[in-house]
Amino acid sequence: MTLNNLKIGIIGLGYVGLPLAVEFSKYYSTIGFDLNQQRIQQLKAGEDKTCEVSADDLKQAQYLDYSHDLKDLAECNFYIIAVPTPLDKHKNPDLTLLEKASATVGKLLSPNNYVVYESTVYPGATEEICLPILERESQLKFNQDFFVGYSPERINPGDKDHRLIDIVKVRN
Ligand SMILES: NC(=O)c1ccc[n+]([C@@H]2O[C@H](COP(=O)([O-])OP(=O)(O)OC[C@H]3O[C@@H](n4cnc5c(N)ncnc54)[C@H](O)[C@@H]3O)[C@@H](O)[C@H]2O)c1
């Protein structure tokens, strides 16, 4: 895979996933995937009810496709997972949705694909919880057949001064 044939799939189009999808689609072929069909319909109609992306910016994201159909996601070779990781009633992290999203992506993984976790999780969760699911579902080997990264989102919804493109994650 090279940057020329990069096809990005963003899983979970909420406060975090949608701005990412809009931004990446300026440079790379991008599919925004969400299980919530109503969310997909609204986005296709140019409406973001989280108000993180303006109607103008949504309109300009002409190379961004939205889908709730796994078939479309299967065309991707770089997956970014941005599903919710809430706390349960005992204030423990509930990783159920993250596990489900990992299983979904694991089933679609091909050799040389990448998976990046953008959801907020505690240290070690990527390697201890997510990676085994990806390996089990794909029957591929981490760091040999496919690669994984963790890039926790820093966005602060509603803060228009510190948007996705203003927040530096890696300095060189
Ligand atoms: N919102 C914030 O302020 C913020 C800031 C930094 C980090 N985060 C983290 O980012 C992650 C995402 O948070 P958010 O606020 O964007 O969530 P959100 O609730 O706004 O949106 C998540 C979206 O994921 C979809 N979804 C859930 N499971 C799915 C699955 N298996 N496949 C496809 N789509 C699925 C939901 O339908 C929803 O549209 C969380 O881990 C959160 O802690 C959030």
Side-chain angles (χ1 to χ4, degrees):
M1 192 188 76
T2 67
L3 286 180
N4 291 331
N5 65 10
L6 192 63
K7 180 128 194 176
I8 299 177
I10 311 243
I11 295 96
L13 297 176
Y15 288 90
V16 164
L18 180 66
L20 266 185
V22 166
E23 209 48 45
F24 274 121
S25 74
K26 292 179 183 167
Y27 308 97
Y28 304 107
S29 172
T30 303
I31 292 181
F33 174 85
D34 202 296
L35 288 179
N36 183 342
Q37 293 194 26
Q38 205 184 353
R39 175 77 169 147
I40 294 296
Q41 277 158 11
Q42 283 168 351
L43 291 171
K44 281 184 172 168
E47 189 193 327
D48 171 25
K49 72 174 176 51
T50 67
C51 300
E52 280 307 297
V53 179
S54 69
D56 273 356
D57 284 345
L58 272 188
K59 206 186 236 169
Q60 277 170 27
Q62 49 184 311
Y63 300 114
L64 172 58
D65 290 324
Y66 303 104
S67 178
H68 57 83
D69 188 339
L70 279 178
K71 273 205 306 271
D72 296 321
L73 203 54
E75 297 167 13
C76 299
N77 46 28
F78 197 112
Y79 296 93
I80 299 177
I81 297 183
V83 299
T85 47
L87 296 178
D88 66 17
K89 61 179 181 190
H90 305 295
K91 301 221 181 327
N92 291 319
D94 177 356
L95 300 184
T96 314
L97 297 174
L98 192 72
E99 290 168 11
K100 282 192 183 149
S102 298
T104 299
V105 169
K107 288 188 180 73
L108 302 175
L109 274 189
S110 303
N112 293 321
N113 284 185
Y114 288 73
V115 185
V116 171
Y117 287 89
E118 196 84 16
S119 298
T120 305
V121 289
Y122 53 83
T126 305
E127 279 167 297
E128 289 158 19
I129 310 282
C130 303
L131 255 178
I133 298 174
L134 292 174
E135 286 193 324
R136 182 190 72 214
E137 298 296 333
S138 65
Q139 296 293 303
L140 297 172
K141 269 248 146 298
F142 167 57
N143 263 353
Q144 180 182 308
D145 306 315
F146 70 94
F147 307 93
V148 171
Y150 179 51
S151 171
E153 188 48 68
R154 307 279 309 279
I155 205 165
N156 184 22
D159 181 346
K160 299 298 176 202
D161 294 329
H162 304 95
R163 296 166 309 146
L164 176 76
I165 51 168
D166 308 309
I167 299 170
V168 177
K169 284 189 174 176
V170 180
R171 264 184 220 284
N172 55 16

